[in-house]
Amino acid sequence: MDLDCGKCWGSSKKESWKTIWILAYQSLGVVYGDLSISPLYVYKSAFAEDIQHSDTNEEIYGVLSFVFWTLTLLPLFKYVFIVLRADDNGEGGTFALYSLICRHVRVSLLPNRQAADEAVSTYKLEHHPETRNSLKMKSLLEKHKALHTALLILVLLGTCMVIGDGVLTPAISVFSAVSGLEFSMSKAHHEYAVIPITCVILLCLFALQHYGTHRIGFFFAPIVLIWLLCISALGLYNIFKWNPEVYKALSPYYMFSFLRKTRMGGWMSLGGILLCITGSEAMFADLGHFSYTAIQIAFTFLVYPALILAYMGQAAFLSKHHHNSNQISFYIAVPGSVRWPVLIVAILASVVGSQAIISGTFSIINQSQSLSCFPRVKVVHTSAKIHGQIYIPEINWILMILCIAVTIGFRDIKHMGNASGLAVMAVMLVTTCLTSLVIILCWHKPPIVALSFLLFFGSIELLYFSASLTKFTEGAWLPILLALFLMTIMLVWHYATVKKYEYDVHNKVSLEWLLALGPSLGIARVPGIGVVFTDLTSGIPANFSRFVTNLPAFHRILVFVCIKSVPVPHVPPAERYLVGRVGPVAHGSYRCIVRYGYRDVHQDVDSFESELVDRLTEFICYDWNHAGERTNSWGEDDGLHSNASSSECRLTVIGMAAALSSAPNYEFDGTLEPASVSVGFPSTGSGGVADEVQMEPINVRQRRVRFAVDNDNASENIARPEMEHDSPMQGELRDLAEAQEAGTAFILGHSHVRAKPGSSILKRLAINIGYNFLRSNCRGTDVVLKVPPASLLEVGMVYVV
């Protein structure tokens, strides 16, 4: 396993220790950049105004004790030893927990779910024996639709706070690193230099995002490693030089002594102390790029000791320097002879830490978009090797503007720290709540275990969260405002998307209507392939009926394509395509369902077109090799069966690059070879497990679409001696190849959504104004799919929901 695939679905071999250590080293630059630079601003934020550093050292020892136990209990115990085990096929993060819960309990709000999705190999469920209490909880969640919505809102809240952290972390990280210049220039010059320098660095950081992390990624791990060694050495130097007995402050006694003396001020200062765990969520969110063991080793044996030494060293220095109580910062404890090298390394480390959260923001927005919870945006995959490296131009420039605005607006670490702290703790609270559900619903542990986890870690996080809320007027309002704004966008988009799907389901036309279209009704079949995009997994979409009504012709080969998301991180390529017939063989109509996980790379239309034809070719061969089963569905001689109006032919999994076992449990056999894997699923009828069929790919070339009726039908009756003895399968394959040569047209619905008359004011605002504004200002489906204009046919549709 390597960085390219991490703990993805295809890896079943145990990692060697060499691989684990390499991954642990690589994780330093991607996972721990944000967490490792927290010593730059924790003490400065804690001593901003609420408490003062006194000669008794109770305050500094109390802060050190809080930092030590916070780092020990939350990142080490909670994340490293518990939360990292709640992975979704090796993937981590808020959506991974939600996906895991949705697969065990039917609480997903994704509209077009199918029974066939549960047969995807990555949809595997751990077979823990279900207890009576877990069944009760499962039944409660499945019974009440309001709980489904509440769970989705909780997930979206965590998502919004992560995006808010993507705005705040680059600002506070770079600003705190650059603030070290105050010891190298006069105060007057420092005030006018730090803000512009910070803004320039942020501008450069975001301007380079389109190159992708992988192009400069090999610098990241060495920088963070050097930074960790640097703060460790500084910590040891300050401990032995100033106060070797500072280790005594690690006792919990100093926490209670600190709160007893400082009272309200000490409680409010927790909003600054909690910044020591900024970036802890990245350990879980980036789990898919590495492995559980690698992240454990990196944190336990390097990052955690380095951070503890750094905080102890600062405390040791401050315990002997009370005259600097008004200038508490990281750089005050750095010897003057090495201050400039440390400043340079700190700035580089802050850039690395910022890069990690920016990449994480791109990733989580892409996941939200996959689950129909975010408007369509352009996603650029910057690396063909490293999975998940993406760049979203619109989000990148919005983040840049907001980061620079935060830097100029707040102008100090105190306000930035208050804002960042609230966002960090909100994400952790969401993770704690979702993990407690995983413990009882997925791991089937006794409720007391889940409740203990929730109460123990939740109470710690609530303590810090309440301290952050007291700073609402001092910067903490910003992540709340951003979260409300983003939540509104996400909920409006998701609500309208679900309503559109319900409208499509209620207004789809029957299969009999499609099969009745022909010359007798003035409908012509024209050369080429017509690809009709729809959200429906069965039935004929209303936009196609509108298309035929306005333009009485459609293509000889017709494919209804549904691109859908499945609540798993990855769908193996061999299981991505579900293909079936729509009507009898002679009609030339097919249904193709393309399934992606929430972290999968979506294909562009060029590769999709050729791959679609390859999958149809494989399906035709498979279907004719199982003609008996097909005849049972459609009757003799391809005639229409009496149940055709209520049933479509079963869908079949058509693979691309990997062979699957024909066993119903969908387990990998570990062999990778060119093969087509076909497993039948009932759409509305019955089907069984099918056999494997090997196919050679057909090389085809793309042409511009033609949409012209062939008036001279005599050419179809010209005798072709070399083809007159073709089998029906060969004839169907020839028709498909000729249609591809003629060109492919992509038929998309261009929708306008309107609320029903008599709807509430809130619904009219959300649909008529909110959703339509977002739809008109985000990427269209044709842009997201990269459909060339010459091949695009749009059908106008008005949805009254």
Side-chain angles (χ1 to χ4, degrees):
M1 185 175 69
D2 55 19
L3 183 60
D4 299 2
C5 59
K7 286 180 63 178
C8 296
W9 48 266
S11 178
S12 59
K13 298 181 180 179
K14 290 188 176 180
E15 303 162 290
S16 66
W17 278 106
K18 179 181 177 182
T19 303
I20 289 174
W21 283 105
I22 291 174
L23 287 174
Y25 169 74
Q26 291 174 331
S27 69
L28 294 177
V30 177
V31 177
Y32 296 111
D34 190 7
L35 184 61
S36 66
I37 59 176
S38 58
L40 287 172
Y41 44 77
V42 169
Y43 280 118
K44 189 175 182 66
S45 298
F47 286 92
E49 284 182 2
D50 303 311
I51 55 176
Q52 297 296 323
H53 180 34
S54 65
D55 294 339
T56 62
N57 287 329
E58 286 184 273
E59 294 84 4
I60 191 65
Y61 287 163
V63 171
L64 174 60
S65 185
F66 264 106
V67 167
F68 171 76
W69 287 106
T70 303
L71 278 170
T72 302
L73 293 176
L74 295 181
L76 186 61
F77 287 172
K78 176 190 166 184
Y79 279 94
V80 171
F81 292 116
I82 300 176
V83 175
L84 288 183
R85 296 181 181 274
D87 65 296
D88 181 15
N89 290 290
E91 297 292 339
T94 306
F95 275 106
L97 291 172
Y98 180 64
S99 169
L100 197 60
I101 293 170
C102 288
R103 295 209 302 277
H104 286 79
V105 187
R106 296 186 180 277
V107 293
S108 174
L109 294 177
L110 286 176
N112 50 6
R113 295 181 62 188
Q114 293 175 285
D117 297 340
E118 299 180 12
V120 176
S121 58
T122 49
Y123 204 100
K124 62 182 180 181
L125 303 178
E126 296 184 12
H127 299 289
H128 297 284
E130 289 191 323
T131 62
R132 187 172 70 175
N133 291 315
S134 64
L135 288 173
K136 284 183 179 179
M137 177 66 74
K138 180 178 179 180
S139 176
L140 178 67
L141 287 174
E142 290 181 344
K143 182 179 179 181
H144 299 284
K145 189 70 176 291
L147 294 178
H148 302 185
T149 306
L151 184 61
L152 179 64
I153 290 175
L154 181 66
V155 172
L156 293 183
L157 176 62
T159 301
C160 294
M161 286 299 181
V162 170
I163 298 172
D165 198 23
V167 172
L168 297 165
T169 293
I172 190 174
S173 300
V174 177
F175 183 87
S176 58
V178 175
S179 64
L181 293 171
E182 65 182 328
F183 297 98
S184 304
M185 59 179 63
S186 65
K187 184 176 181 179
H189 291 144
H190 171 260
E191 290 180 352
Y192 293 104
V194 172
I195 300 297
I197 292 174
T198 302
C199 292
V200 169
I201 293 175
L202 289 173
L203 183 65
C204 294
L205 175 64
F206 284 100
L208 294 174
Q209 289 300 309
H210 68 280
Y211 289 109
T213 304
H214 68 286
R215 298 188 185 276
I216 52 176
F218 65 94
F219 285 120
F220 284 7
I223 288 172
V224 176
L225 179 61
I226 292 171
W227 171 250
L228 290 171
L229 295 176
C230 176
I231 61 176
S232 301
L234 289 172
L236 289 170
Y237 169 81
N238 285 317
I239 290 170
F240 288 110
K241 181 176 177 62
W242 300 109
N243 189 354
E245 295 187 351
V246 73
Y247 69 90
K248 295 180 180 179
L250 302 182
S251 169
Y253 164 78
Y254 287 92
M255 289 193 295
F256 299 105
S257 176
F258 168 77
L259 291 176
R260 185 174 63 248
K261 179 181 179 180
T262 56
R263 298 184 182 275
M264 183 64 71
W267 172 60
M268 295 177 68
S269 71
L270 295 180
I273 295 173
L274 68 84
L275 294 176
C276 68
I277 53 176
T278 301
S280 298
E281 186 73 18
M283 282 192 289
F284 187 42
D286 291 321
L287 183 61
H289 292 166
F290 304 99
S291 72
Y292 172 69
T293 308
I295 290 179
Q296 260 192 332
I297 289 174
F299 183 79
T300 307
F301 295 105
L302 180 59
V303 178
Y304 176 74
L307 290 174
I308 297 300
L309 287 175
Y311 288 116
M312 289 177 65
Q314 289 184 67
F317 178 88
L318 293 172
S319 67
K320 301 299 182 181
H321 295 79
H322 303 96
H323 61 281
N324 299 103
S325 59
N326 294 326
Q327 295 182 353
I328 291 178
S329 74
F330 170 80
Y331 292 101
I332 199 173
V334 178
S337 58
V338 295
R339 191 166 286 157
W340 272 105
V342 171
L343 174 65
I344 294 172
V345 176
I347 292 175
L348 292 175
S350 69
V351 170
V352 173
S354 303
Q355 177 62 55
I357 190 64
I358 293 169
S359 299
T361 303
F362 292 157
S363 178
I364 203 165
I365 287 177
N366 186 44
Q367 294 173 23
S368 304
Q369 182 180 240
S370 298
L371 296 177
S372 303
C373 293
F374 201 86
R376 291 183 295 267
V377 290
K378 181 181 180 181
V379 178
V380 179
H381 297 274
T382 58
S383 174
K385 296 181 179 180
I386 302 178
H387 176 78
Q389 290 293 332
I390 61 174
Y391 165 69
I392 304 178
E394 300 97 322
I395 302 301
N396 181 66
W397 300 121
I398 292 173
L399 286 178
M400 185 196 73
I401 293 170
L402 291 176
C403 277
I404 293 176
V406 166
T407 304
I408 297 174
F410 284 159
R411 306 181 70 87
D412 62 33
I413 291 178
K414 174 191 169 185
H415 288 83
M416 294 183 194
N418 293 337
S420 180
L422 189 139
V424 168
M425 203 48 60
V427 175
M428 286 195 166
L429 277 169
V430 170
T431 300
T432 299
C433 294
L434 293 176
T435 305
S436 63
L437 288 176
V438 168
I439 290 173
I440 189 172
L441 296 172
C442 305
W443 297 348
H444 305 299
K445 300 296 182 183
I448 189 65
V449 176
L451 187 62
S452 300
F453 175 86
L454 179 63
L455 291 178
F456 181 74
F457 292 108
S459 59
I460 297 172
E461 291 160 357
L462 278 174
L463 176 66
Y464 282 115
F465 186 74
S466 62
S468 296
L469 281 177
T470 62
K471 305 296 183 70
F472 180 83
T473 59
E474 299 175 14
W477 57 268
L478 181 59
I480 296 176
L481 182 64
L482 285 174
L484 287 175
F485 179 72
L486 291 169
M487 281 277 287
T488 302
I489 291 176
M490 289 180 165
L491 289 174
V492 166
W493 187 267
H494 180 76
Y495 176 76
T497 301
V498 171
K499 288 298 180 182
K500 278 182 60 182
Y501 177 79
E502 292 175 353
Y503 180 91
D504 281 334
V505 170
H506 294 148
N507 290 275
K508 64 183 179 181
V509 296
S510 66
L511 186 59
E512 285 182 332
W513 174 87
L514 175 67
L515 300 179
L517 297 177
S520 60
L521 297 178
I523 306 295
R525 300 293 293 269
V526 298
I529 300 176
V531 178
V532 183
F533 286 99
T534 175
D535 292 328
L536 298 177
T537 56
S538 63
I540 311 302
N543 63 348
F544 180 72
S545 65
R546 186 174 179 83
F547 169 77
V548 174
T549 301
N550 288 276
L551 185 62
F554 59 95
H555 298 82
R556 290 204 177 107
I557 301 296
L558 192 62
V559 188
F560 296 97
V561 175
C562 172
I563 298 178
K564 60 175 290 187
S565 292
V566 181
V568 294
H570 308 284
V571 175
E575 304 172 56
R576 177 154 294 149
Y577 285 81
L578 277 172
V579 185
R581 296 190 186 278
V582 179
V585 173
H587 197 268
S589 299
Y590 308 88
R591 183 176 308 282
C592 180
I593 299 174
V594 188
R595 303 177 294 184
Y596 289 99
Y598 56 80
R599 296 201 65 174
D600 275 330
V601 177
H602 287 231
Q603 298 166 291
D604 59 35
V605 74
D606 294 330
S607 62
F608 174 73
E609 178 186 350
S610 58
E611 198 165 278
L612 177 63
V613 173
D614 289 343
R615 302 293 78 76
L616 289 175
T617 301
E618 294 177 13
F619 167 76
I620 292 169
C621 294
Y622 162 77
D623 192 56
W624 280 103
N625 285 327
H626 295 74
E629 298 176 17
R630 178 178 55 77
T631 302
N632 290 336
S633 296
W634 292 110
E636 295 288 332
D637 299 324
D638 303 331
L640 182 60
H641 195 270
S642 60
N643 294 329
S645 62
S646 60
S647 175
E648 294 182 25
C649 189
R650 70 158 187 262
L651 297 174
T652 304
V653 176
I654 300 294
M656 308 189 301
L660 285 176
S661 168
S662 59
N665 60 5
Y666 257 66
E667 292 181 350
F668 279 96
D669 62 5
T671 305
L672 294 179
E673 57 184 353
S676 167
V677 185
S678 302
V679 181
F681 291 105
S683 177
T684 53
S686 61
V689 178
D691 299 326
E692 296 181 3
V693 181
Q694 283 200 342
M695 288 297 301
E696 293 295 330
I698 298 175
N699 294 323
V700 294
R701 66 179 186 271
Q702 182 181 0
R703 292 189 177 184
R704 293 183 60 185
V705 63
R706 285 190 311 177
F707 203 92
V709 179
D710 187 3
N711 293 320
D712 187 7
N713 293 326
S715 60
E716 296 182 1
N717 300 318
I718 296 177
R720 288 175 286 185
E722 71 278 9
M723 297 181 182
E724 61 185 5
H725 299 295
D726 281 354
S727 67
M729 180 182 75
Q730 292 171 329
E732 190 175 0
L733 290 174
R734 185 179 64 251
D735 291 342
L736 178 62
E738 290 175 352
Q740 188 182 21
E741 286 292 321
T744 302
F746 297 89
I747 303 171
L748 299 173
H750 186 81
S751 60
H752 179 79
V753 186
R754 193 170 64 229
K756 291 180 181 178
S759 300
S760 65
I761 296 177
L762 185 61
K763 182 177 180 179
R764 291 203 300 270
L765 286 174
I767 299 295
N768 296 349
I769 298 177
Y771 177 77
N772 284 312
F773 175 80
L774 292 173
R775 185 192 56 79
S776 60
N777 287 278
C778 71
R779 303 275 180 173
T781 308
D782 57 322
V783 177
V784 174
L785 296 171
K786 299 180 182 177
V787 177
S791 302
L792 176 64
L793 293 169
E794 289 191 292
V795 182
M797 283 286 294
V798 177
Y799 289 80
V800 181
V801 298

